[in-house]
């Protein structure tokens, strides 16, 4: 164990400064550079048992005048198969753009297959964009989240509650999702109440027991972060009631359920809290004292 006072607390967020060569001549977008692109490079949707899930994938043609153009697209099978896992509702395979309709949507029905296959993916790509260019986001990869996963009741967003070391009582949102290769491993995004961009990229794993009664989260695991435009590993440590850093071992969260087996929350116990630390910068991100709980949203 190491007392946390041995660690460096200073932490600065670098700002970005944008400059223009001539402030009197703002950049002007030329319609010769007009392009069409998917609004999102990746999207996901939960498989629904009654087969009513529909995914809307927005596509935007960027131009000043509102160019009138027809853009064709196609769906490319991956691990998800057309007619088995999904069905195209925009059957024409064509999106028509003009000044009044700069964003159009690809509509896809998600089919329920009744089997545990794990998450499945397929891709949407452009076939012909006519007179306009393809933007950088020229494909969209869709993930169908399998509702038959044995840990499905655990997945989703949670409202966490705890005691921040400096700020006192706090609440924050964290998300639990599946691991693509291990049916009993989950990933928790924003586990220790992060901010400054880290809350959207730092996640740590935990192992769920066979009866789905506990999640064991190892201390000492790290997650790469690219927030500083370089790889900085974010380390997960524990902290006890005497402010000692716990570098090995685990924190165990007890899973609570209702009478129907639906997960209602988590209790991380009173032995350990959570401490997030950027080792390459010698910088603390946050400390939440022992006594953390979470309620499933």
């Amino acid at each position: 164990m190491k007392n946390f006072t041995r660690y460096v607390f200073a932490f600065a967020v670098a700002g970005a400064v944008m400059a223009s060569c001539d402030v009197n001549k703002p950049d002007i977008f030329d319609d010769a550079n007009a392009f069409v692109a998917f609004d999102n490079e990746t999207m996901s949707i939960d498989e629904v048992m009654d087969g009513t899930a529909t995914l809307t994938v927005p596509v935007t043609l960027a131009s000043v005048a509102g160019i009138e153009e027809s853009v064709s697209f196609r769906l490319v099978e991956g691990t998800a198969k057309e007619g088995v896992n999904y069905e195209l509702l925009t059957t024409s395979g064509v999106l028509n753009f003009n000044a009044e309709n700069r964003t159009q949507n690809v509509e896809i029905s998600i089919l329920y297959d009744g089997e545990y296959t794990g998450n499945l993916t397929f891709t949407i790509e452009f076939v012909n964009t006519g007179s306009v260019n393809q933007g950088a986001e020229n494909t969209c990869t869709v993930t169908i989240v399998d509702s038959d996963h044995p840990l499905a009741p655990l997945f989703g967003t949670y409202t966490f509650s705890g005691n921040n070391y400096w700020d006192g009582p706090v609440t924050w949102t964290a998300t639990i999702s599946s691991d693509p290769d291990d049916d009993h491993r989950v990933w928790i995004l924003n586990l220790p109440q992060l901010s400054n961009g880290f809350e959207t990229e730092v996640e740590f794993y935990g192992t769920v027991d066979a009866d789905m009664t506990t999640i064991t989260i190892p201390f000492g695991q790290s997650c790469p972060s690219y927030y500083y435009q370089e790889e900085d590993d974010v380390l997960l440590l524990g902290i006890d009631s005497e402010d000692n850093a716990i570098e090995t071992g685990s924190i165990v969260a007890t899973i609570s359920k209702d009478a129907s087996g639906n997960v209602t929350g988590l209790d991380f116990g009173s032995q350990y809290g959570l401490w997030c630390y950027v080792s390459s910068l010698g910088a603390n991100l946050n400390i939440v004292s022992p006594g953390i709980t979470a309620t499933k949203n």
Side-chain angles (χ1 to χ4, degrees):
M1 296 188 297
K2 295 181 180 179
N3 192 278
F4 78 87
T5 55
R6 296 180 59 188
Y7 286 78
V8 179
F9 288 151
F11 179 66
V13 177
V17 178
M18 300 186 66
S20 172
C21 294
D22 188 341
V23 295
N24 297 314
K25 293 183 178 180
D27 292 337
I28 299 174
F29 184 85
D30 189 335
D31 272 352
N33 299 318
F35 64 90
V36 64
F38 292 95
D39 287 20
N40 305 288
E41 288 185 302
T42 62
M43 295 186 72
S44 66
I45 184 170
D46 293 341
E47 181 185 54
V48 178
M49 294 181 68
D50 62 8
T52 59
T54 300
L55 179 67
T56 298
V57 181
V59 181
T60 298
L61 196 158
S63 72
V64 175
I67 292 175
E68 185 172 337
E69 187 58 88
S70 295
V71 172
S72 60
F73 66 90
R74 66 183 175 189
L75 274 55
V76 180
E77 292 185 349
T79 53
K81 306 301 179 185
E82 189 164 8
V84 177
N85 308 113
Y86 63 90
E87 190 172 81
L88 179 63
L89 299 179
T90 312
T91 55
S92 65
V94 175
L95 301 175
N96 298 306
F97 299 91
N98 54 42
E100 288 71 41
N101 299 280
R102 296 169 183 262
T103 296
Q104 297 283 32
N105 298 313
V106 178
E107 301 282 345
I108 302 166
S109 176
I110 305 302
L111 308 177
Y112 178 64
D113 59 15
E115 299 178 1
Y116 173 52
T117 57
N119 295 349
L120 303 174
T121 62
F122 64 93
T123 301
I124 314 167
E125 65 181 20
F126 296 126
V127 176
N128 191 325
T129 58
S131 63
V132 299
N133 300 312
Q134 294 187 25
E137 290 78 25
N138 58 8
T139 65
C140 177
T141 298
V142 176
T143 299
I144 303 174
V145 180
D146 196 337
S147 62
D148 298 301
H149 194 290
L151 301 181
L154 262 179
F155 303 149
T157 59
Y158 291 73
T159 298
F160 275 62
S161 299
N163 195 65
N164 184 284
Y165 185 80
W166 295 276
D167 300 330
V170 288
T171 61
W172 70 98
T173 300
T175 304
I176 298 181
S177 59
S178 63
D179 183 280
D181 303 314
D182 189 335
D183 291 348
H184 287 280
R185 174 173 287 190
V186 296
W187 289 89
I188 308 175
L189 180 67
N190 197 29
L191 173 62
Q193 195 218 355
L194 302 177
S195 59
N196 295 322
F198 289 99
E199 70 276 15
T200 64
E201 65 176 15
V202 173
E203 58 182 358
F204 297 106
Y205 73 85
T207 301
V208 183
D209 67 342
D211 298 323
M212 203 168 66
T213 59
T214 61
I215 307 174
T216 301
I217 303 165
F219 295 136
Q221 62 176 294
S222 62
C223 175
S225 170
Y226 300 91
Y227 188 68
Y228 290 101
Q229 299 180 352
E230 63 182 51
E231 187 170 327
D232 292 312
D233 283 347
V234 179
L235 189 66
L236 179 68
L237 305 174
I239 188 168
D240 63 17
S241 58
E242 297 180 353
D243 298 338
N244 294 304
I246 312 300
E247 298 176 322
T248 60
S250 303
I251 188 170
V252 178
T254 301
I255 302 167
S256 57
K257 306 173 191 175
D258 63 18
S260 300
N262 300 309
V263 172
T264 58
L266 306 170
D267 188 333
F268 289 78
S270 58
Q271 184 177 12
Y272 298 130
L274 297 169
W275 182 355
C276 226
Y277 184 77
V278 182
S279 54
S280 62
L281 300 177
N284 158 69
L285 295 186
N286 199 23
I287 297 174
V288 184
S289 301
I292 301 167
T293 60
T295 302
K296 194 170 192 294
N297 296 345

